[in-house]
Amino acid sequence: MNGTQHISVVINTYNAEEHLKAVLEAVKDFDEIVICDMESTDQTLDIARSYNCKIVTFPKGNLRIVEPARQFAIDKASSPWVLVVDADEVVTPELRKYLYDAIQKDDCPDAIAIPRKNYFMGRMMHSSYPDYILRFLRRSKCSWPPVIHAAPKVDGNILKIPASRMELAFEHLANDSVADIIRKNNTYSDYEVPRRRKKNYGCMALIYRPAFRFFKSYFLKRGCRDGIPGLIHAVLDAGYQFAIVAKLLEEKQAKQG
């Protein structure tokens, strides 16, 4: 359908039944869909089979993050191009057409960063847009580190879709509650601690890092336009930074004691 160029959609899953049907419906016209499942116990695999997805398994073990399974999933794709989609992200028809048009051109970049629309308390958050994520990749030119929040490493050119092209943005279906965000912040901050040990934060970091994150989210990134949800989201962003620094200081105190 698209000449000699093909795109595989790669989706990592773990108990992803809530949004998976909508996600798969949006990508069913790509050349291949690879589901890399981390031993789901819900209806995830039944839904994937109903869409004739290629299913591979990555042992979950004690993992609470997806990054260790990213490269494994990409390696299982058969197309030269991969679009990595989370199990709660919808690809618009406009984005699909844009990507297929791009790979037909001789000057196509080796990776494309795609904006994403995020939602909280029922509304799109200005403070979280464009939230660029590097997800469209020439498979032979990328590698994905197994580290939380890591972006793929690309040996080549990278293009960013303009933020003004909102019709090309991923639609993030997750509409996390305050409790969800607090829970995720706790999990993610655990994984951030080993990454930031060399920073050697002092006590003042408990104040200036959360304060700057709040300022960035609420003012610089226009969260103030989002009313009460924007204010709450900015405070939660600040709390994430506080948790990281507090855990680092806790670890330092334990070593000194």
Side-chain angles (χ1 to χ4, degrees), residues 11-74:
I11 306 174
N12 290 86
T13 58
Y14 175 67
N15 288 350
E17 65 180 8
E18 182 178 4
H19 301 297
L20 188 58
K21 186 173 181 179
V23 172
L24 293 177
E25 188 67 25
V27 298
K28 65 182 181 182
D29 291 329
F30 283 83
D31 296 288
E32 178 185 51
I33 305 173
V34 178
I35 295 289
C36 179
D37 188 67
M38 297 176 75
E39 301 177 321
S40 291
T41 57
D42 63 358
Q43 299 303 307
T44 292
L45 293 181
D46 291 336
I47 297 170
R49 293 187 189 102
S50 72
Y51 280 85
N52 297 315
C53 300
K54 177 180 180 179
I55 300 173
V56 297
T57 302
F58 187 92
K60 182 178 184 299
N62 295 322
L63 291 172
R64 294 185 290 167
I65 59 174
V66 69
E67 283 78 10
R70 292 286 200 198
Q71 188 61 50
F72 176 84
I74 290 170

Side-chain angles (χ1 to χ4, degrees), residues 151-171:
K153 295 181 178 179
V154 178
D155 180 20
N157 298 322
I158 300 173
L159 170 74
K160 272 189 176 183
I161 294 175
S164 59
R165 298 290 305 274
M166 296 186 74
E167 77 279 8
L168 302 180
F170 281 121
E171 287 280 350

Side-chain angles (χ1 to χ4, degrees), residues 115-118 120 123-132 162-166 212-235 237:
R116 179 171 62 174
K117 300 175 185 175
N118 294 297
F120 176 63
R123 64 190 299 170
M124 192 192 102
M125 302 303 293
H126 290 86
S127 62
S128 297
Y129 187 82
D131 187 25
Y132 280 111
S164 59
R165 298 290 305 274
M166 296 186 74
F212 177 74
R213 179 55 68 94
F214 176 85
F215 181 79
K216 180 179 179 181
S217 178
Y218 194 65
F219 294 106
L220 297 183
K221 300 187 75 175
R222 303 179 300 158
C224 53
R225 294 180 55 185
D226 297 321
I228 291 176
L231 177 61
I232 294 173
H233 198 268
V235 172
D237 277 350

